């Protein structure tokens, strides 16, 4: 049995009500621009961050929920940029190669970051799969490069790297591509954002409450 407030109301339900109210305050009439599924994703992000501003920062491009569901229903893998993102994703086939010996060697040989090397080493899985990035903008930039130069096209990219160096720019570039994506505007993002987005789509794939 879940924890309850003093008035007997379930804390989780009360939290959802508060989140929906905060989102409505931020979006105003623009609430109607989002589908029920998109709004469910936004609610998850706001709940995970306790930051209603995300209501206007989450961007959906090129039918990302639909294509993400196709990838999940086909049991395609999810590639995460860092181990912390991988740990939070509720899916059986999640990979993060950033700590593997081969990635260290590739990064050293090519004079690139391990984040870039990890994505480069996983490109065959990324093509038709799902990429979730909550930390490294260089990883997102490599996904974009692979798409433009090698035709590698994920079914979905969750692009939410955080920081003041390259994070905002990498997400802007993602939104100029034809890749189905869910991204955040500006420097905000991070592991909780990326994980809450992909777990929302995973919940939809299982017909669970989003």
């Amino acid at each position: 049995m879940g924890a309850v407030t003093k008035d007997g109301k379930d804390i989780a339900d009360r939290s959802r009500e508060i989140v929906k109210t905060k989102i409505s305050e931020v979006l105003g009439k623009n609430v109607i621009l989002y589908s029920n599924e998109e709004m469910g994703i936004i609610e998850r992000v706001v709940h995970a961050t306790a930051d209603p501003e995300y209501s206007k920062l989450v961007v959906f491009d090129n039918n990302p929920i639909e294509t993400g569901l196709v990838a999940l229903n086909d049991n395609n893998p999810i590639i995460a940029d860092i181990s912390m993102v991988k740990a939070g994703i509720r899916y059986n086939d999640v990979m993060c190669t950033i700590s593997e010996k081969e990635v260290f060697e590739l990064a050293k040989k090519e004079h690139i970051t391990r984040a870039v090397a990890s994505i480069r080493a996983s490109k065959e899985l990324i093509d038709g799969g799902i990429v979730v990035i909550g930390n490294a903008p260089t990883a997102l930039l490599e996904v974009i490069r692979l798409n433009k130069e090698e035709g590698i096209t994920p079914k979905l990219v969750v692009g939410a790297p955080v920081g003041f160096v390259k994070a905002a720019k990498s997400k802007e570039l993602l939104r100029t591509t034809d890749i189905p994506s869910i991204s955040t505007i500006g420097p905000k993002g991070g592991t909780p954002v990326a994980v809450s987005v992909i777990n929302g789509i995973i919940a939809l794939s299982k017909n669970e409450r989003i």
Side-chain angles (χ1 to χ4, degrees):
M1 184 175 179
V4 294
T5 60
K6 291 181 179 179
D7 63 0
K9 192 166 189 179
D10 182 82
I11 289 176
D13 286 343
R14 176 60 179 151
S15 179
R16 278 189 284 268
E17 289 181 7
I18 293 171
V19 165
K20 287 181 179 180
T21 299
K22 296 293 185 182
I23 290 172
S24 295
E25 290 173 353
V26 172
L27 290 179
K29 294 180 180 179
N30 288 333
V31 166
I32 64 172
L33 299 178
Y34 297 89
S35 68
N36 290 335
E37 292 79 11
E38 290 170 342
M39 191 56 63
I41 298 296
I42 292 172
E43 288 173 8
R44 276 181 171 258
V45 173
V46 172
H47 184 269
T49 61
D51 186 352
E53 186 184 13
Y54 275 105
S55 305
K56 59 183 180 182
L57 299 182
V58 179
V59 180
F60 302 85
D61 280 313
N62 303 310
N63 301 311
I65 295 176
E66 292 85 346
T67 56
L69 288 173
V70 169
L72 292 173
N73 289 333
D74 288 342
N75 297 312
N76 289 344
I78 295 175
I79 309 301
D81 64 330
I82 60 171
S83 298
M84 188 178 297
V85 170
K86 175 185 175 181
I89 299 174
R90 300 170 184 169
Y91 187 70
N92 290 329
D93 192 5
V94 186
M95 298 181 61
C96 176
T97 62
I98 198 166
S99 296
E100 293 186 3
K101 180 181 178 181
E102 293 79 4
V103 169
F104 276 93
E105 292 174 348
L106 178 61
K108 184 176 180 180
K109 178 183 177 182
E110 300 292 336
H111 303 288
I112 55 179
T113 67
R114 281 196 295 136
V116 171
S118 177
I119 293 297
R120 194 170 296 180
S122 305
K123 66 181 181 180
E124 291 183 3
L125 296 174
I126 288 172
D127 197 24
I130 294 173
V131 182
V132 181
I133 296 175
N135 181 266
T138 55
L140 181 53
L141 289 169
E142 179 63 10
V143 172
I144 296 166
R145 187 197 69 80
L146 287 172
N147 175 251
K148 292 184 175 181
E149 297 182 8
E150 301 186 32
I152 302 297
T153 305
K155 282 286 197 310
L156 168 65
V157 171
V158 177
V162 60
F164 294 106
V165 180
K166 295 186 179 180
K169 185 62 176 179
S170 67
K171 291 177 283 189
E172 289 173 12
L173 288 173
L174 175 63
R175 291 190 287 271
T176 67
T177 72
D178 294 327
I179 300 172
S181 67
I182 302 174
S183 61
T184 54
I185 296 171
K188 283 189 173 185
T191 296
V193 175
V195 168
S196 60
V197 169
I198 191 59
N199 280 342
I201 297 176
I202 292 169
L204 283 172
S205 74
K206 297 177 180 179
N207 296 314
E208 296 175 355
R209 182 175 183 177
I210 189 171

